[in-house]
């Protein structure tokens, strides 16, 4: 069994992966920024789990997270840079400076810090694998109002491919692409109810719940650990198939 460390592991995809991994007998270390949320998740989860408070924008806090996981479990085999935030859907010039900075610091700087901490630790320990989480913008597609968020995800894809060319012996990196998953990030920032209703029609065709996607991602995370791996849930063929079946299959992923 593997030891897996997950940043942003107290909600959404990160928490879903943690649950799936623990259910399969793996050891999990997770972190989050909200102490109350960390305590709640720690109490809810069962198995070999370590839950600590750590802010991914702070390199020293991530180093302490790594050290705590190694102290608890002996080593870290897989590290998942999952922590991420979005912002209200506004043109960049209308986005508050502090909001843009928070998105860049969490989504990009956090991945830089996490990758550096994990790769350094894994190099000293003799090996391991780092996963970075893709999102909207990773493939270069643009969405009005999400320029800052999409830019960070595009950068994470480049970062991961670049890291694959400079990994130390025994260490590998890869990309996890969850596609559209029903979390607070998916519907965040819609001020216009009509726009949200329109978006939900597409989400109901292409999106999936955390309970569907996270267990699959968790399995891939501990099995597909070659350097440069790119694991995608929502493939092009799946997109085409879902649109083709949409008139025949009604899906409702949101509460009324």
């Amino acid at each position: 069994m593997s030891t897996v460390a997950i940043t942003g592991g107290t909600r959404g995809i990160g928490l879903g992966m943690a649950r799936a991994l623990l259910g399969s007998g793996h050891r999990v270390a997770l972190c989050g920024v909200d102490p109350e949320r960390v305590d709640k998740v720690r109490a809810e989860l069962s198995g070999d789990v370590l839950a600590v408070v750590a802010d991914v924008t702070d390199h020293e806090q991530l180093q302490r997270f790594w050290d705590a996981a190694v102290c608890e479990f002996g080593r870290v085999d897989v590290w998942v840079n999952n922590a991420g935030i979005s912002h209200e859907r506004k043109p960049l010039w209308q986005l508050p400076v502090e909001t843009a900075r928070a998105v860049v610091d969490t989504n990009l700087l956090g991945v830089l810090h996490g990758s550096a901490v994990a790769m350094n630790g894994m190099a000293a320990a003799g090996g391991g694998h780092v996963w970075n989480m893709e999102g909207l913008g990773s493939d270069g597609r643009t969405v009005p109002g999400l320029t800052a968020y999409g830019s960070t995800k595009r950068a994470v894809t480049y970062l991961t491919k670049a890291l694959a060319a400079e990994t130390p012996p025994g260490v590998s990196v890869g990309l996890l692409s969850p596609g559209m998953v029903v979390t607070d990030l998916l519907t965040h920032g819609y001020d216009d109810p009509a726009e949200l209703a329109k978006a939900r029609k597409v989400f109901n065709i292409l999106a999936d719940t955390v309970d569907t996607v996270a267990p699959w991602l968790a399995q891939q995370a501990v099995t597909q650990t070659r350097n440069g791996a790119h694991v995608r849930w929502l493939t092009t063929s799946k997109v085409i198939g879902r649109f083709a079946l949409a008139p025949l299959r009604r899906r409702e992923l949101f509460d009324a």
Side-chain angles (χ1 to χ4, degrees), residues 2-6 66 76-80 122 128-131 221-223 225:
S2 299
T3 297
V4 184
I6 306 172
W66 170 274
V76 173
D77 303 294
V78 176
W79 176 284
V80 184
M122 289 172 177
H129 187 85
V130 177
W131 289 108
V222 294
T223 59
T225 55

Side-chain angles (χ1 to χ4, degrees), residues 39-181:
D39 289 342
K40 183 175 184 292
V41 167
R42 184 189 297 117
E44 288 178 354
L45 296 178
S46 60
D48 292 327
V49 59
L50 172 71
V52 303
V53 177
D55 185 342
V56 299
T57 68
D58 187 320
H59 185 280
E60 292 184 2
Q61 290 190 40
L62 279 183
Q63 183 63 58
R64 289 197 293 271
F65 174 46
W66 170 274
D67 293 341
V70 172
C71 182
E72 180 75 15
F73 300 121
R75 62 178 289 121
V76 173
D77 303 294
V78 176
W79 176 284
V80 184
N81 284 310
N82 169 72
I85 62 174
S86 190
H87 55 81
E88 55 268 41
R89 293 171 185 256
K90 292 182 178 179
L92 181 63
W93 59 88
Q94 295 178 3
L95 201 64
V97 172
E98 59 272 18
T99 298
R101 182 180 295 115
V103 170
V104 173
D105 285 352
T106 301
N107 296 3
L108 181 53
L109 188 60
V111 176
L112 284 165
H113 288 332
S115 297
V117 165
M119 292 175 74
N120 185 53
M122 289 172 177
H129 187 85
V130 177
W131 289 108
N132 293 331
M133 196 72 70
E134 288 195 312
L136 186 146
S138 290
D139 60 358
R141 183 169 62 94
T142 61
V143 174
L146 289 176
T147 297
Y149 176 85
S151 295
T152 62
K153 287 302 183 179
R154 183 65 165 166
V156 164
T157 299
Y158 170 86
L159 165 67
T160 308
K161 292 179 178 179
L163 286 175
E166 60 182 34
T167 56
V171 181
S172 53
V173 299
L175 287 162
L176 288 178
S177 181
M180 292 185 183
V181 183

